[in-house]
Amino acid sequence: MIEVKTKEEIELMRESALIVSKTLGILAKEVKPGVTTLQLDKIAEDFIRSEGAVPGFLGLYDFPNTLCMSPNEQVVHGFPTDKPLKEGDIISIDCGALKNGFYGDHAYTFAVGDIAPETQKLLEVTKASLYVGIREFKFGNRVGDVGYAIQKYCEDHGYGVVRELVGHGLGRKMHEDPEMPNYGKRGRGKKFVEGQVVAIEPMINMGTHRIKQHNDGWTITTLDNKPSAHFEHDVALVNGKPELLSTFAYIYEALGIESDEEHEFRQQQLVL
Ligand code: MG
Ligand code: MG
């Protein structure tokens, strides 16, 4: 059942989402060759707690850390390690925070130093597909419309769309109804309703869409060991339109990137 949120609850969810956004902005400055993902995890946990929130993933389904850290061929759900990042890596950082009873949950894939042009393209296309999907999260549409749009966009670029892992409703629980696959058919699935909040999160592989799950019970990698990218935003349906609750603005500020990509999805001005 879809848990509809009141206007007040959506504002609380915005607060949780922005704590995650700020965390990712702090990490953006720290992602560089030589840093370990465990060091980044500590920075994130300290910041989230300093905001009066708790890490959303820590202990969830027994996950042992604050951040899901998935470098290169890892798709999602990797955990932090003491292995340093190196030039040319990419690292998907997925972060959750819980405050006032509501979760924020979003993710960004960072380049570590200079990366190969084909990997850069994978990041750009995956992030663009996130907005292609968000654009379909509107009154009158259904779950399949979002999935179809993301799948078509990514497959047109020759990439593989992961099937086994999906986006989700978000609220008092990290994973609420409905499931939000990054593939699908137009006009299929549950109809969107005013006041619902979803996490849309394309997980896109440079090669095959097929994946393998590792014996640690968490790590998921591409079957062909080619890179995989992951971007995620939290979005509410407000006035029949998508309203972004999370932002990459803190990341862009840290990295000196100018972008107006979020502009069309914001009915309320973002105050950084
Ligand atoms: Mg996430
Ligand atoms: Mg999620």
PDB file of all heavy atoms in Angstrom, residues 119-149:
ATOM      1  N   THR A 119      34.038   5.760 -19.309  1.00  0.00           N
ATOM      2  CA  THR A 119      33.455   5.670 -17.967  1.00  0.00           C
ATOM      3  C   THR A 119      32.735   6.969 -17.624  1.00  0.00           C
ATOM      4  O   THR A 119      31.652   6.969 -17.028  1.00  0.00           O
ATOM      5  CB  THR A 119      34.555   5.379 -16.918  1.00  0.00           C
ATOM      6  OG1 THR A 119      35.350   4.302 -17.392  1.00  0.00           O
ATOM      7  CG2 THR A 119      33.955   5.016 -15.582  1.00  0.00           C
ATOM      8  N   GLN A 120      33.334   8.090 -18.019  1.00  0.00           N
ATOM      9  CA  GLN A 120      32.694   9.399 -17.827  1.00  0.00           C
ATOM     10  C   GLN A 120      31.334   9.424 -18.517  1.00  0.00           C
ATOM     11  O   GLN A 120      30.346   9.929 -17.969  1.00  0.00           O
ATOM     12  CB  GLN A 120      33.604  10.494 -18.393  1.00  0.00           C
ATOM     13  CG  GLN A 120      33.085  11.901 -18.214  1.00  0.00           C
ATOM     14  CD  GLN A 120      32.964  12.302 -16.742  1.00  0.00           C
ATOM     15  OE1 GLN A 120      33.815  11.957 -15.926  1.00  0.00           O
ATOM     16  NE2 GLN A 120      31.884  12.990 -16.398  1.00  0.00           N
ATOM     17  N   LYS A 121      31.281   8.837 -19.702  1.00  0.00           N
ATOM     18  CA  LYS A 121      30.013   8.818 -20.441  1.00  0.00           C
ATOM     19  C   LYS A 121      28.974   7.974 -19.695  1.00  0.00           C
ATOM     20  O   LYS A 121      27.795   8.338 -19.638  1.00  0.00           O
ATOM     21  CB  LYS A 121      30.238   8.281 -21.853  1.00  0.00           C
ATOM     22  CG  LYS A 121      28.974   8.228 -22.647  1.00  0.00           C
ATOM     23  CD  LYS A 121      29.167   8.302 -24.146  1.00  0.00           C
ATOM     24  CE  LYS A 121      27.811   8.252 -24.816  1.00  0.00           C
ATOM     25  NZ  LYS A 121      27.565   6.999 -25.543  1.00  0.00           N
ATOM     26  N   LEU A 122      29.404   6.861 -19.127  1.00  0.00           N
ATOM     27  CA  LEU A 122      28.483   6.026 -18.341  1.00  0.00           C
ATOM     28  C   LEU A 122      27.884   6.840 -17.185  1.00  0.00           C
ATOM     29  O   LEU A 122      26.678   6.776 -16.927  1.00  0.00           O
ATOM     30  CB  LEU A 122      29.218   4.796 -17.789  1.00  0.00           C
ATOM     31  CG  LEU A 122      28.401   3.920 -16.826  1.00  0.00           C
ATOM     32  CD1 LEU A 122      27.272   3.190 -17.553  1.00  0.00           C
ATOM     33  CD2 LEU A 122      29.300   2.921 -16.095  1.00  0.00           C
ATOM     34  N   LEU A 123      28.715   7.628 -16.520  1.00  0.00           N
ATOM     35  CA  LEU A 123      28.214   8.453 -15.404  1.00  0.00           C
ATOM     36  C   LEU A 123      27.208   9.486 -15.919  1.00  0.00           C
ATOM     37  O   LEU A 123      26.150   9.690 -15.306  1.00  0.00           O
ATOM     38  CB  LEU A 123      29.368   9.174 -14.698  1.00  0.00           C
ATOM     39  CG  LEU A 123      30.452   8.310 -14.042  1.00  0.00           C
ATOM     40  CD1 LEU A 123      31.380   9.184 -13.201  1.00  0.00           C
ATOM     41  CD2 LEU A 123      29.863   7.222 -13.173  1.00  0.00           C
ATOM     42  N   GLU A 124      27.560  10.134 -17.022  1.00  0.00           N
ATOM     43  CA  GLU A 124      26.675  11.191 -17.548  1.00  0.00           C
ATOM     44  C   GLU A 124      25.329  10.629 -17.985  1.00  0.00           C
ATOM     45  O   GLU A 124      24.280  11.198 -17.688  1.00  0.00           O
ATOM     46  CB  GLU A 124      27.366  11.914 -18.709  1.00  0.00           C
ATOM     47  CG  GLU A 124      28.415  12.894 -18.210  1.00  0.00           C
ATOM     48  CD  GLU A 124      29.369  13.368 -19.298  1.00  0.00           C
ATOM     49  OE1 GLU A 124      29.069  13.173 -20.494  1.00  0.00           O
ATOM     50  OE2 GLU A 124      30.430  13.927 -18.938  1.00  0.00           O
ATOM     51  N   VAL A 125      25.367   9.517 -18.693  1.00  0.00           N
ATOM     52  CA  VAL A 125      24.119   8.926 -19.188  1.00  0.00           C
ATOM     53  C   VAL A 125      23.265   8.419 -18.018  1.00  0.00           C
ATOM     54  O   VAL A 125      22.045   8.610 -17.992  1.00  0.00           O
ATOM     55  CB  VAL A 125      24.412   7.793 -20.199  1.00  0.00           C
ATOM     56  CG1 VAL A 125      23.139   7.006 -20.524  1.00  0.00           C
ATOM     57  CG2 VAL A 125      25.023   8.371 -21.477  1.00  0.00           C
ATOM     58  N   THR A 126      23.895   7.810 -17.042  1.00  0.00           N
ATOM     59  CA  THR A 126      23.126   7.285 -15.905  1.00  0.00           C
ATOM     60  C   THR A 126      22.460   8.427 -15.139  1.00  0.00           C
ATOM     61  O   THR A 126      21.282   8.341 -14.779  1.00  0.00           O
ATOM     62  CB  THR A 126      24.035   6.464 -14.962  1.00  0.00           C
ATOM     63  OG1 THR A 126      24.677   5.439 -15.714  1.00  0.00           O
ATOM     64  CG2 THR A 126      23.224   5.842 -13.833  1.00  0.00           C
ATOM     65  N   LYS A 127      23.203   9.510 -14.926  1.00  0.00           N
ATOM     66  CA  LYS A 127      22.606  10.645 -14.205  1.00  0.00           C
ATOM     67  C   LYS A 127      21.489  11.278 -15.030  1.00  0.00           C
ATOM     68  O   LYS A 127      20.426  11.603 -14.504  1.00  0.00           O
ATOM     69  CB  LYS A 127      23.669  11.689 -13.844  1.00  0.00           C
ATOM     70  CG  LYS A 127      23.089  12.849 -13.036  1.00  0.00           C
ATOM     71  CD  LYS A 127      24.111  13.517 -12.155  1.00  0.00           C
ATOM     72  CE  LYS A 127      25.186  14.222 -12.943  1.00  0.00           C
ATOM     73  NZ  LYS A 127      24.673  15.401 -13.692  1.00  0.00           N
ATOM     74  N   ALA A 128      21.705  11.405 -16.322  1.00  0.00           N
ATOM     75  CA  ALA A 128      20.648  11.963 -17.184  1.00  0.00           C
ATOM     76  C   ALA A 128      19.404  11.071 -17.148  1.00  0.00           C
ATOM     77  O   ALA A 128      18.274  11.564 -17.147  1.00  0.00           O
ATOM     78  CB  ALA A 128      21.168  12.115 -18.613  1.00  0.00           C
ATOM     79  N   SER A 129      19.608   9.765 -17.081  1.00  0.00           N
ATOM     80  CA  SER A 129      18.461   8.835 -17.063  1.00  0.00           C
ATOM     81  C   SER A 129      17.644   9.000 -15.777  1.00  0.00           C
ATOM     82  O   SER A 129      16.434   8.768 -15.769  1.00  0.00           O
ATOM     83  CB  SER A 129      18.918   7.387 -17.219  1.00  0.00           C
ATOM     84  OG  SER A 129      19.385   6.829 -15.997  1.00  0.00           O
ATOM     85  N   LEU A 130      18.316   9.400 -14.706  1.00  0.00           N
ATOM     86  CA  LEU A 130      17.594   9.660 -13.449  1.00  0.00           C
ATOM     87  C   LEU A 130      16.558  10.767 -13.672  1.00  0.00           C
ATOM     88  O   LEU A 130      15.397  10.649 -13.279  1.00  0.00           O
ATOM     89  CB  LEU A 130      18.601  10.047 -12.359  1.00  0.00           C
ATOM     90  CG  LEU A 130      18.061  10.592 -11.043  1.00  0.00           C
ATOM     91  CD1 LEU A 130      17.140   9.590 -10.352  1.00  0.00           C
ATOM     92  CD2 LEU A 130      19.217  10.966 -10.110  1.00  0.00           C
ATOM     93  N   TYR A 131      16.976  11.839 -14.340  1.00  0.00           N
ATOM     94  CA  TYR A 131      16.041  12.954 -14.585  1.00  0.00           C
ATOM     95  C   TYR A 131      14.977  12.582 -15.624  1.00  0.00           C
ATOM     96  O   TYR A 131      13.833  13.022 -15.525  1.00  0.00           O
ATOM     97  CB  TYR A 131      16.808  14.210 -14.999  1.00  0.00           C
ATOM     98  CG  TYR A 131      17.692  14.696 -13.872  1.00  0.00           C
ATOM     99  CD1 TYR A 131      19.073  14.612 -13.954  1.00  0.00           C
ATOM    100  CD2 TYR A 131      17.131  15.182 -12.701  1.00  0.00           C
ATOM    101  CE1 TYR A 131      19.883  15.021 -12.907  1.00  0.00           C
ATOM    102  CE2 TYR A 131      17.926  15.587 -11.644  1.00  0.00           C
ATOM    103  CZ  TYR A 131      19.300  15.511 -11.748  1.00  0.00           C
ATOM    104  OH  TYR A 131      20.084  15.894 -10.702  1.00  0.00           O
ATOM    105  N   VAL A 132      15.367  11.747 -16.596  1.00  0.00           N
ATOM    106  CA  VAL A 132      14.388  11.246 -17.567  1.00  0.00           C
ATOM    107  C   VAL A 132      13.285  10.485 -16.823  1.00  0.00           C
ATOM    108  O   VAL A 132      12.089  10.618 -17.118  1.00  0.00           O
ATOM    109  CB  VAL A 132      15.104  10.339 -18.607  1.00  0.00           C
ATOM    110  CG1 VAL A 132      14.110   9.505 -19.393  1.00  0.00           C
ATOM    111  CG2 VAL A 132      15.956  11.193 -19.551  1.00  0.00           C
ATOM    112  N   GLY A 133      13.686   9.714 -15.817  1.00  0.00           N
ATOM    113  CA  GLY A 133      12.707   8.970 -15.015  1.00  0.00           C
ATOM    114  C   GLY A 133      11.870   9.885 -14.137  1.00  0.00           C
ATOM    115  O   GLY A 133      10.648   9.758 -14.070  1.00  0.00           O
ATOM    116  N   ILE A 134      12.525  10.829 -13.479  1.00  0.00           N
ATOM    117  CA  ILE A 134      11.809  11.744 -12.570  1.00  0.00           C
ATOM    118  C   ILE A 134      10.738  12.526 -13.340  1.00  0.00           C
ATOM    119  O   ILE A 134       9.643  12.770 -12.836  1.00  0.00           O
ATOM    120  CB  ILE A 134      12.806  12.699 -11.875  1.00  0.00           C
ATOM    121  CG1 ILE A 134      13.682  11.918 -10.882  1.00  0.00           C
ATOM    122  CG2 ILE A 134      12.073  13.830 -11.140  1.00  0.00           C
ATOM    123  CD1 ILE A 134      14.836  12.720 -10.289  1.00  0.00           C
ATOM    124  N   ARG A 135      11.049  12.892 -14.577  1.00  0.00           N
ATOM    125  CA  ARG A 135      10.101  13.655 -15.404  1.00  0.00           C
ATOM    126  C   ARG A 135       8.781  12.902 -15.603  1.00  0.00           C
ATOM    127  O   ARG A 135       7.736  13.503 -15.804  1.00  0.00           O
ATOM    128  CB  ARG A 135      10.769  13.944 -16.761  1.00  0.00           C
ATOM    129  CG  ARG A 135      10.292  15.192 -17.430  1.00  0.00           C
ATOM    130  CD  ARG A 135      11.233  15.587 -18.564  1.00  0.00           C
ATOM    131  NE  ARG A 135      12.416  16.265 -18.084  1.00  0.00           N
ATOM    132  CZ  ARG A 135      13.678  15.962 -18.442  1.00  0.00           C
ATOM    133  NH1 ARG A 135      13.917  14.984 -19.292  1.00  0.00           N
ATOM    134  NH2 ARG A 135      14.693  16.626 -17.952  1.00  0.00           N
ATOM    135  N   GLU A 136       8.826  11.575 -15.528  1.00  0.00           N
ATOM    136  CA  GLU A 136       7.621  10.749 -15.731  1.00  0.00           C
ATOM    137  C   GLU A 136       6.856  10.491 -14.429  1.00  0.00           C
ATOM    138  O   GLU A 136       5.791   9.886 -14.447  1.00  0.00           O
ATOM    139  CB  GLU A 136       7.999   9.400 -16.356  1.00  0.00           C
ATOM    140  CG  GLU A 136       8.655   9.506 -17.720  1.00  0.00           C
ATOM    141  CD  GLU A 136       7.747  10.148 -18.746  1.00  0.00           C
ATOM    142  OE1 GLU A 136       6.545   9.824 -18.770  1.00  0.00           O
ATOM    143  OE2 GLU A 136       8.247  10.984 -19.540  1.00  0.00           O
ATOM    144  N   PHE A 137       7.422  10.943 -13.319  1.00  0.00           N
ATOM    145  CA  PHE A 137       6.758  10.761 -12.018  1.00  0.00           C
ATOM    146  C   PHE A 137       5.789  11.923 -11.828  1.00  0.00           C
ATOM    147  O   PHE A 137       6.108  12.935 -11.217  1.00  0.00           O
ATOM    148  CB  PHE A 137       7.830  10.720 -10.914  1.00  0.00           C
ATOM    149  CG  PHE A 137       7.282  10.560  -9.515  1.00  0.00           C
ATOM    150  CD1 PHE A 137       6.505   9.468  -9.169  1.00  0.00           C
ATOM    151  CD2 PHE A 137       7.567  11.508  -8.530  1.00  0.00           C
ATOM    152  CE1 PHE A 137       6.012   9.323  -7.871  1.00  0.00           C
ATOM    153  CE2 PHE A 137       7.085  11.369  -7.228  1.00  0.00           C
ATOM    154  CZ  PHE A 137       6.302  10.280  -6.908  1.00  0.00           C
ATOM    155  N   LYS A 138       4.597  11.774 -12.409  1.00  0.00           N
ATOM    156  CA  LYS A 138       3.639  12.878 -12.410  1.00  0.00           C
ATOM    157  C   LYS A 138       2.224  12.317 -12.432  1.00  0.00           C
ATOM    158  O   LYS A 138       2.022  11.134 -12.735  1.00  0.00           O
ATOM    159  CB  LYS A 138       3.882  13.795 -13.608  1.00  0.00           C
ATOM    160  CG  LYS A 138       3.716  13.096 -14.938  1.00  0.00           C
ATOM    161  CD  LYS A 138       4.053  14.023 -16.096  1.00  0.00           C
ATOM    162  CE  LYS A 138       3.874  13.303 -17.416  1.00  0.00           C
ATOM    163  NZ  LYS A 138       4.322  14.045 -18.558  1.00  0.00           N
ATOM    164  N   PHE A 139       1.278  13.189 -12.131  1.00  0.00           N
ATOM    165  CA  PHE A 139      -0.122  12.791 -12.093  1.00  0.00           C
ATOM    166  C   PHE A 139      -0.538  12.158 -13.420  1.00  0.00           C
ATOM    167  O   PHE A 139      -0.199  12.665 -14.492  1.00  0.00           O
ATOM    168  CB  PHE A 139      -1.017  14.007 -11.800  1.00  0.00           C
ATOM    169  CG  PHE A 139      -2.470  13.656 -11.753  1.00  0.00           C
ATOM    170  CD1 PHE A 139      -3.001  13.005 -10.645  1.00  0.00           C
ATOM    171  CD2 PHE A 139      -3.295  13.934 -12.822  1.00  0.00           C
ATOM    172  CE1 PHE A 139      -4.340  12.656 -10.609  1.00  0.00           C
ATOM    173  CE2 PHE A 139      -4.637  13.594 -12.790  1.00  0.00           C
ATOM    174  CZ  PHE A 139      -5.158  12.944 -11.680  1.00  0.00           C
ATOM    175  N   GLY A 140      -1.258  11.051 -13.332  1.00  0.00           N
ATOM    176  CA  GLY A 140      -1.751  10.370 -14.529  1.00  0.00           C
ATOM    177  C   GLY A 140      -0.846   9.253 -14.990  1.00  0.00           C
ATOM    178  O   GLY A 140      -1.265   8.399 -15.765  1.00  0.00           O
ATOM    179  N   ASN A 141       0.412   9.281 -14.537  1.00  0.00           N
ATOM    180  CA  ASN A 141       1.351   8.227 -14.937  1.00  0.00           C
ATOM    181  C   ASN A 141       1.384   7.096 -13.922  1.00  0.00           C
ATOM    182  O   ASN A 141       0.847   7.200 -12.824  1.00  0.00           O
ATOM    183  CB  ASN A 141       2.756   8.820 -15.109  1.00  0.00           C
ATOM    184  CG  ASN A 141       2.981   9.318 -16.528  1.00  0.00           C
ATOM    185  OD1 ASN A 141       2.068   9.327 -17.341  1.00  0.00           O
ATOM    186  ND2 ASN A 141       4.195   9.733 -16.813  1.00  0.00           N
ATOM    187  N   ARG A 142       2.068   6.036 -14.323  1.00  0.00           N
ATOM    188  CA  ARG A 142       2.195   4.838 -13.482  1.00  0.00           C
ATOM    189  C   ARG A 142       3.659   4.453 -13.363  1.00  0.00           C
ATOM    190  O   ARG A 142       4.513   4.961 -14.109  1.00  0.00           O
ATOM    191  CB  ARG A 142       1.403   3.678 -14.116  1.00  0.00           C
ATOM    192  CG  ARG A 142      -0.101   3.924 -14.144  1.00  0.00           C
ATOM    193  CD  ARG A 142      -0.817   2.837 -14.963  1.00  0.00           C
ATOM    194  NE  ARG A 142      -2.252   3.086 -15.026  1.00  0.00           N
ATOM    195  CZ  ARG A 142      -3.141   2.594 -14.159  1.00  0.00           C
ATOM    196  NH1 ARG A 142      -2.738   1.805 -13.169  1.00  0.00           N
ATOM    197  NH2 ARG A 142      -4.420   2.871 -14.280  1.00  0.00           N
ATOM    198  N   VAL A 143       3.902   3.515 -12.449  1.00  0.00           N
ATOM    199  CA  VAL A 143       5.268   3.050 -12.176  1.00  0.00           C
ATOM    200  C   VAL A 143       5.995   2.664 -13.465  1.00  0.00           C
ATOM    201  O   VAL A 143       7.170   2.991 -13.665  1.00  0.00           O
ATOM    202  CB  VAL A 143       5.216   1.856 -11.189  1.00  0.00           C
ATOM    203  CG1 VAL A 143       6.539   1.123 -11.143  1.00  0.00           C
ATOM    204  CG2 VAL A 143       4.835   2.350  -9.788  1.00  0.00           C
ATOM    205  N   GLY A 144       5.284   1.988 -14.363  1.00  0.00           N
ATOM    206  CA  GLY A 144       5.917   1.513 -15.605  1.00  0.00           C
ATOM    207  C   GLY A 144       6.386   2.641 -16.508  1.00  0.00           C
ATOM    208  O   GLY A 144       7.312   2.450 -17.301  1.00  0.00           O
ATOM    209  N   ASP A 145       5.773   3.804 -16.398  1.00  0.00           N
ATOM    210  CA  ASP A 145       6.185   4.935 -17.241  1.00  0.00           C
ATOM    211  C   ASP A 145       7.588   5.410 -16.870  1.00  0.00           C
ATOM    212  O   ASP A 145       8.379   5.783 -17.740  1.00  0.00           O
ATOM    213  CB  ASP A 145       5.183   6.085 -17.118  1.00  0.00           C
ATOM    214  CG  ASP A 145       3.826   5.720 -17.703  1.00  0.00           C
ATOM    215  OD1 ASP A 145       3.775   5.366 -18.898  1.00  0.00           O
ATOM    216  OD2 ASP A 145       2.830   5.771 -16.964  1.00  0.00           O
ATOM    217  N   VAL A 146       7.883   5.417 -15.580  1.00  0.00           N
ATOM    218  CA  VAL A 146       9.219   5.821 -15.121  1.00  0.00           C
ATOM    219  C   VAL A 146      10.249   4.786 -15.568  1.00  0.00           C
ATOM    220  O   VAL A 146      11.294   5.116 -16.147  1.00  0.00           O
ATOM    221  CB  VAL A 146       9.249   5.990 -13.577  1.00  0.00           C
ATOM    222  CG1 VAL A 146      10.679   6.189 -13.080  1.00  0.00           C
ATOM    223  CG2 VAL A 146       8.371   7.164 -13.160  1.00  0.00           C
ATOM    224  N   GLY A 147       9.920   3.526 -15.309  1.00  0.00           N
ATOM    225  CA  GLY A 147      10.854   2.454 -15.676  1.00  0.00           C
ATOM    226  C   GLY A 147      11.120   2.402 -17.173  1.00  0.00           C
ATOM    227  O   GLY A 147      12.266   2.251 -17.618  1.00  0.00           O
ATOM    228  N   TYR A 148      10.049   2.539 -17.934  1.00  0.00           N
ATOM    229  CA  TYR A 148      10.195   2.499 -19.395  1.00  0.00           C
ATOM    230  C   TYR A 148      11.143   3.602 -19.872  1.00  0.00           C
ATOM    231  O   TYR A 148      12.031   3.372 -20.700  1.00  0.00           O
ATOM    232  CB  TYR A 148       8.824   2.666 -20.061  1.00  0.00           C
ATOM    233  CG  TYR A 148       8.911   2.844 -21.564  1.00  0.00           C
ATOM    234  CD1 TYR A 148       8.994   1.738 -22.407  1.00  0.00           C
ATOM    235  CD2 TYR A 148       8.946   4.117 -22.132  1.00  0.00           C
ATOM    236  CE1 TYR A 148       9.111   1.899 -23.784  1.00  0.00           C
ATOM    237  CE2 TYR A 148       9.068   4.299 -23.503  1.00  0.00           C
ATOM    238  CZ  TYR A 148       9.147   3.185 -24.322  1.00  0.00           C
ATOM    239  OH  TYR A 148       9.280   3.350 -25.676  1.00  0.00           O
ATOM    240  N   ALA A 149      10.944   4.801 -19.349  1.00  0.00           N
ATOM    241  CA  ALA A 149      11.730   5.950 -19.811  1.00  0.00           C
ATOM    242  C   ALA A 149      13.215   5.766 -19.488  1.00  0.00           C
ATOM    243  O   ALA A 149      14.090   6.037 -20.325  1.00  0.00           O
ATOM    244  CB  ALA A 149      11.199   7.232 -19.165  1.00  0.00           C
TER     245      ALA A 149
END
